[in-house]
Amino acid sequence: MNNKVAVFRREHFNAAHRLTNPKWDEAKNNAVFGKCNNPHYHGHNYELVVKVSGIPDPQTGYVMDMKVLSELVHDHIIERFDHRNLNEDCPEFKSLNPTAENIAVVIYNILRPLINEQLDMQVRLYETERNFVEYPAS
Amino acid sequence: MNNKVAVFRREHFNAAHRLTNPKWDEAKNNAVFGKCNNPHYHGHNYELVVKVSGIPDPQTGYVMDMKVLSELVHDHIIERFDHRNLNEDCPEFKSLNPTAENIAVVIYNILRPLINEQLDMQVRLYETERNFVEYPAS
Amino acid sequence: MNNKVAVFRREHFNAAHRLTNPKWDEAKNNAVFGKCNNPHYHGHNYELVVKVSGIPDPQTGYVMDMKVLSELVHDHIIERFDHRNLNEDCPEFKSLNPTAENIAVVIYNILRPLINEQLDMQVRLYETERNFVEYPAS
Amino acid sequence: MNNKVAVFRREHFNAAHRLTNPKWDEAKNNAVFGKCNNPHYHGHNYELVVKVSGIPDPQTGYVMDMKVLSELVHDHIIERFDHRNLNEDCPEFKSLNPTAENIAVVIYNILRPLINEQLDMQVRLYETERNFVEYPAS
Amino acid sequence: MNNKVAVFRREHFNAAHRLTNPKWDEAKNNAVFGKCNNPHYHGHNYELVVKVSGIPDPQTGYVMDMKVLSELVHDHIIERFDHRNLNEDCPEFKSLNPTAENIAVVIYNILRPLINEQLDMQVRLYETERNFVEYPAS
Amino acid sequence: MNNKVAVFRREHFNAAHRLTNPKWDEAKNNAVFGKCNNPHYHGHNYELVVKVSGIPDPQTGYVMDMKVLSELVHDHIIERFDHRNLNEDCPEFKSLNPTAENIAVVIYNILRPLINEQLDMQVRLYETERNFVEYPAS
């Protein structure tokens, strides 16, 4: 058994997106992505949970100050994606389909270098209450 | 005291929208609607609760069969708005700003004629967990 | 404007039930109640919210002590219906179809005489997250 | 039927409190308030929902801009009560027992003069998921 | 660190059940299973979350299309258990006590052969908001 | 793949606390802990989820009877911390800062010897809906 503690911080953002593969024609995109391929976009209230694990600092009792974690997520994720169109406004998705899977990987890759490398990290992203993803998979 | 019972059915849809008043210039639209005025849209997971009140039928014990209510909501609301861009794809909002207030009134006006006029009706619409509306206000 | 405050207490119970009208034949019962007419029953986690309204007592700041309200609900509702088969075990539903509407009316009628008559009362019953009822309808 | 729409904004704050009536001796306070009378306090995550009703402005589609409503609640309620001891830090409760009922009335009385008097207002306060109050009672 | 992403799909069904060991007499069954041994059954709203993990397909950005996952769960689990009496109507539980643990294992064993064997799988089953299980345990 | 099943039981308690390091002066405590350092305390509704994993007993279908697990948590955790001031009333935190991380470790260490050592154990503690921790980190 390890003696690490995980801390989780939940944040949210609202965004529009469209699922499409530009290499495919419209018929194939519709067959694969259905209503999610609407060229005028649809949208979601995304709920993001960031998990950071490590040994609590004996001075503070914190693995990582959740206010600091919350501010990092606000400055680097919420500012970037909230009230945006992921396909149109966000260079990260110019050539990457904004599925929940890909959004989670992008968020992980943005946050990972900003968190102390001694700490483990994972993200969970809820696209709806019934559809959600986790990266890296535990 | 009345002896009516209210029944509630909750459904959801995901849509993109943008808040804007076409009679105003961009500066005023930005001042009033802020990030919600993003010309490329953003989106939400809308949760819709339809309330119908009346005296339960003594044969069935139902005010109204919730399966029938659910099907009405699916056929007339979910089919119309789910995975759509409210501004671009939905004629109801061509000249009406798709605020939560206006979406709730539009939904009420679509459903009201489809429900027995002896029954009272109200809609509640959650745009996010923290922002929601009700029409008519009780 | 009135100066009453409403207090709400939420409790839960788990029960089996079946929807059926004994005056109808099986074909009609299946047509009306569908899967809910399964002769072997199905079940729910019922969430019950009891609302009591009045002027707070200036000595306590309470409309009604929620611990007392919770105990009343436990003694008279949870003890009666939790882990029961509503149709088989509960005389209240021997000749009354246990729809959510009828269960709410039965619960109201049990609790109403137990609550100070100066106080208003209402019950809300969730059969699922998506189907719920309120009595009397506000 | 009226044609008002209600808008709701949900916010939260965390606070410590103790229920006690200084005119009573300790035995009576313990008998009435039980564990809630702990002289060292206990605490809650309060969830506050503010409801404002009126006719939407045809220029904006808003009954009231929810960002403005959220800022009012932050400036006048969250700043005042969040991470506070209601009995010790908040003059509103120096001689008023901080029951959920009384906290809701205090919040209503603070916010009411700050909202356009043409608009109706109501507050709902969750002390826990299972105990909540509403003022004025609808 | 692995580079797998997990996708989760949540579905629900309502069922009646009874906990009992037919090899034991009634006294022992009551001692062990208490109210859950009611011979007339009780019931639950089961919430099922199926987790599937793997490398996203670069063409689609999907680990597995959640619509396909949802349809599999509907066809093989919801159709089989929804609005059923697990003990009476479901051969899987003729000689297996329908505890949450056993239901989760049964669901896993039904779904596992239907999902690409390159993908990892896990199920979580909520019997109530306060009691839930996961298989295989992570 | 293992063939263990995990069972989870969720309970709650309400408590007051204050974050502070007695070795630091007030300026440093305020800089590090901000509003959480209020000398008059603030409070939370803590939600606790205890996870226990193992092979279900073939006689009962239980990994561990959740009623027994619930009673253990009530007797050893809820009785100890509910409606208490963690800093003032609980010796566990006389010299340990009651951060969510430290509370989770304390709860784990109290419960671990009470659970069959063949079974794995983990605790998750929600301080708010947006801040939570897990120990040991998975």
Side-chain angles (χ1 to χ4, degrees), chain C residues 35 40 44-45 82 85 89, chain E residues 35 40 45 82 85 89:
Chain C
K35 292 185 298 182
H40 290 140
H44 294 291
N45 303 333
D82 187 37
N85 181 310
D89 299 331
Chain E
K35 293 184 299 182
H40 290 140
N45 303 332
D82 187 38
N85 181 311
D89 300 329

Side-chain angles (χ1 to χ4, degrees), chain C residues 8-9 11 16 23 29 46 54 58 64 81 86-87 91 95 97 100-101 106 112 114 127 131:
Chain C
F8 301 77
R9 176 72 194 171
E11 305 284 351
K23 297 180 195 147
N29 270 306
Y46 289 96
M64 176 179 181
F81 298 137
L86 299 179
N87 306 65
S95 62
N97 201 12
E101 289 93 326
V106 162
R112 181 63 273 193
L114 304 171
E127 196 172 75
N131 282 350

Side-chain angles (χ1 to χ4, degrees), chain E residues 2-134:
Chain E
N2 72 70
N3 56 352
K4 288 184 182 177
V5 180
V7 300
F8 301 77
R9 176 72 195 170
R10 186 175 160 222
E11 305 284 350
H12 66 275
F13 59 95
N14 308 313
H17 78 154
R18 170 198 188 188
L19 299 187
T20 201
N21 181 335
K23 297 180 195 148
W24 293 344
D25 63 16
E26 196 181 322
K28 175 137 194 203
N29 270 305
N30 280 335
V32 173
F33 296 114
K35 293 184 299 182
C36 299
N37 185 40
N38 179 355
H40 290 140
Y41 312 102
H42 65 284
H44 294 291
N45 303 332
Y46 290 95
E47 290 285 331
L48 171 65
V49 179
V50 179
K51 176 186 180 182
V52 175
S53 309
I55 309 290
D57 177 331
Q59 297 293 311
T60 59
Y62 284 161
V63 168
M64 177 180 179
D65 185 340
M66 288 199 231
K67 286 192 304 296
V68 173
L69 178 55
S70 174
E71 286 162 10
L72 275 176
V73 175
H74 269 268
D75 291 352
H76 296 272
I77 305 298
I78 308 304
E79 279 299 310
R80 198 183 294 241
F81 297 137
D82 187 38
H83 282 74
R84 297 284 157 73
N85 181 311
L86 299 178
N87 307 65
E88 291 293 323
D89 300 329
C90 301
E92 294 82 358
F93 300 104
K94 279 299 178 202
S95 60
L96 180 71
N97 201 12
T99 58
E101 290 92 327
N102 282 339
I103 302 171
V105 173
V106 163
I107 289 173
Y108 178 89
N109 288 337
I110 293 169
L111 290 176
R112 181 62 273 192
L114 304 171
I115 306 279
N116 182 332
E117 67 184 341
Q118 308 266 17
L119 303 173
D120 301 322
M121 210 191 99
Q122 187 184 46
V123 301
R124 180 178 276 210
L125 184 72
Y126 291 82
E127 195 171 75
T128 70
E129 284 180 354
R130 301 201 169 271
N131 283 350
F132 50 103
V133 302
E134 203 170 70

Side-chain angles (χ1 to χ4, degrees), chain F residues 20 33 35 37 64 68 76 99 109:
Chain F
T20 199
F33 296 115
K35 294 184 297 181
N37 186 40
M64 176 180 180
V68 173
H76 296 273
T99 58
N109 288 337

Side-chain angles (χ1 to χ4, degrees), chain B residues 95-113:
Chain B
S95 60
L96 182 70
N97 199 14
T99 58
E101 291 92 325
N102 283 338
I103 303 171
V105 173
V106 162
I107 289 173
Y108 179 88
N109 288 336
I110 293 170
L111 290 176
R112 182 62 273 194

